[in-house]
Amino acid sequence: LDAANGGTDLEMPGPEHFNRDSLLPLIREGRVTQATIDDKVRRLLRNSVRFGWMDRPQLDASIPRFNLRGRAVALEGARESMVLLKNERNVLPLNKKRVRTLAVIGPNAFPAVPLGGGSATVPPFHAVSFVEGLGNYLGTAASVVYARGLPSWSWVAAGTSFTTDKAGLHRGLSAEVFNNHELSGAPASTRVDQHVSVGVPLDSAMFASGEPIDFSVFGAPPKLVATRWTGYYTPRTPGRHDVVVQEGGFSDGGYRLYVDDKLVRDSWQLAKAAIEPTSLVLDAGPHKVVLEHRSVTGFGSPFIRMGIVPESGWVDQSAVALAAKADAVILAVGFDPQSEGEGWDRTFALPPGQDQLIRAVVAANPNSIVVVTSGGSVDMSQWVDRVPAVVEAWYPGQEGGTALAEILFGDVNPSGHLPATFERRWEDNPSSANYYPAAGSNRVEYSEGVFVGYRGFEKSGTHPLFPFGYGLSYTTFAYRNLAISQVAGTSGRDTHWSVSFDVSNTGDRAGAAVAQVYVADPGASVPRPAKELKGFVKVMLKPRETRRVTVPLDVRSLSFYDVSGKQWRAEAGDFKILVGASSADTRLTGTLHLANTVTVK
């Protein structure tokens, strides 16, 4: 009911809720109007018409799937999107003539991680990993050595030994399977599993073969399933351990983890991350471990793994030794389709073991560059001050390895800028306090209002690690001569303005500046952000070149949403126009005057 009246038009996957059986009674009772349903249908049809879905077949067989033009576009996208976050002492770009041995270390170095999980997964014919890209770039001029440095998640599960009894006489865990989520009654079946490793990640199951996917398999009637594993784990050495649970897919899962009959992780109703570590101090004796997992089959199959790793046992010391002998190290860390994708969240911290790997490698070789693969910011607090350079690679697509090599060695000058604020701590994020519903509730209150992202950081005075719009280059840029003028012949709600200024490359390398235009409304009658991005322009400049650029603004650029009037409103008065290289680095300031209040449909 709330979703129907609240603006939801399309349920995916579905329709579990938006169907005739659910909606028709609500319409008959007058709780959802026919006009609301008609509006939803029109919105969907408008998109169908807009994209031409009703005019022509959507599969164009004349476009080759193995497409070299597409490959070139993918490469250019990767080049332009990567963001240089830190470059202390100008350690980058690397000098090809001085690097004789390059160590590429980390779980994201190989194989390639072109995309995140879920519907983002589009398997290419070939994706260039960071190892391959750097190896191809250097050729025989240098030696490129590789080490993963950390165990895989499947190895973590397979490498953890359990016993069914406290005495340690029989290997494995007792598994009880129930056809309900209460784990009530007699189990439908029992067995002994050597490890907790059930199913395969959804992306692996769906895309490993490269064959067309039969999505009809996901339409099977839902079935409630719950499994309880009980076993004993005896540490080889006492101390702090990470108990890691990996749960994924789209089987609507949840789990509870008990150690020595104490609940240490409760993700039964709300599994917050695909991979969650729980840090515990374990003594030398046997410890009872119970894992309860629930799922609903029908859209994907149940998938869960569990393993236990000593905190000091994550890092492969041979990788550290490899790093110590190299002229430079590329540390490839971050997430992948098994740890970040649609259907679940991920931790703000890097996956287990990665912080330890970075610290160990940097201690062995200070000339280490960290490359992060992720869909957003990560916790860098344990190592960002120890490394000279950091690159945010995002999920760089099939040509990510090639683009990274070109950027690290200076053939391409990085020009990406952050589309989000990178916080120092998750608690600094304006939405952190109400990101999840309160216990026992399924309601999320967006209490930050319009103060999301950089707007919230500026309101609270919290300094982020890297601000919105931020991105370094191998050259430097200057901004001068701001001019703001109303476009002739425009007035009222159709008024337009031109914001013009000079951008100069003041360095000795060609590069692209991303000039950003922000608008501030200091006299607003409602709470508004300190400033809001309203336009930007990317301009490529040769060394010492200057170019005048223009960013257009209109009345909508000055407006806020008037809740009572249900329309956009720009109030008369003076607006500040700020131009710069990020939300925290505005270098030019001017004034735009709006004579009369204007509403925008």
Side-chain angles (χ1 to χ4, degrees), residues 399-460:
E399 300 300 321
T402 302
L404 180 68
E406 294 174 341
I407 287 172
L408 293 180
F409 283 91
D411 286 7
V412 170
N413 193 343
S415 61
H417 286 246
L418 292 180
T421 304
F422 275 24
E423 58 269 78
R424 295 179 184 274
R425 307 177 310 147
W426 164 238
E427 294 78 11
D428 292 340
N429 192 294
S431 66
S432 62
N434 53 279
Y435 188 79
Y436 290 107
S441 170
N442 62 356
R443 184 178 180 84
V444 174
E445 295 283 350
Y446 293 92
S447 60
E448 67 270 32
V450 298
F451 297 100
V452 296
Y454 68 93
R455 305 166 184 85
F457 281 87
E458 294 187 343
K459 182 176 186 291
S460 66

Side-chain angles (χ1 to χ4, degrees), residues 388-515:
V390 182
V391 175
E392 174 59 62
W394 311 109
Y395 288 96
Q398 69 180 56
E399 300 300 321
T402 302
L404 180 68
E406 294 174 341
I407 287 172
L408 293 180
F409 283 91
D411 286 7
V412 170
N413 193 343
S415 61
H417 286 246
L418 292 180
T421 304
F422 275 24
E423 58 269 78
R424 295 179 184 274
R425 307 177 310 147
W426 164 238
E427 294 78 11
D428 292 340
N429 192 294
S431 66
S432 62
N434 53 279
Y435 188 79
Y436 290 107
S441 170
N442 62 356
R443 184 178 180 84
V444 174
E445 295 283 350
Y446 293 92
S447 60
E448 67 270 32
V450 298
F451 297 100
V452 296
Y454 68 93
R455 305 166 184 85
F457 281 87
E458 294 187 343
K459 182 176 186 291
S460 66
T462 302
H463 295 287
L465 182 61
F466 300 109
F468 173 83
Y470 173 87
L472 297 177
S473 170
Y474 295 151
T475 189
T476 54
F477 302 97
Y479 299 79
R480 300 184 182 90
N481 303 323
L482 174 64
I484 304 166
S485 60
Q486 183 172 332
V487 177
T490 65
S491 61
R493 67 177 54 173
D494 295 322
T495 306
H496 288 70
W497 294 267
S498 293
V499 178
S500 301
F501 49 92
D502 294 335
V503 184
S504 301
N505 183 343
T506 56
D508 57 4
R509 285 176 176 266
V514 179

Side-chain angles (χ1 to χ4, degrees), residues 354-389:
Q354 293 192 18
D355 286 330
Q356 293 98 311
L357 176 65
I358 295 171
R359 295 199 305 267
V361 168
V362 172
N365 191 330
N367 194 25
S368 296
I369 295 98
V370 175
V371 179
V372 181
T373 298
S374 68
S377 59
V378 303
D379 185 357
M380 304 183 189
S381 60
Q382 295 190 37
W383 47 266
V384 70
D385 293 332
R386 307 184 189 189
V387 300

Side-chain angles (χ1 to χ4, degrees), residues 92 94 102-106 109 130-131 134 144-147 323 326 328-333 361 367-371 404 408-409:
L92 293 177
L94 297 172
L102 181 68
V104 188
I105 295 172
F130 293 157
V131 171
L134 289 161
V144 176
V145 294
Y146 159 74
V329 180
I330 309 303
L331 266 166
V333 298
V361 168
N367 194 25
S368 296
I369 295 98
V370 175
V371 179
L404 180 68
L408 293 180
F409 283 91

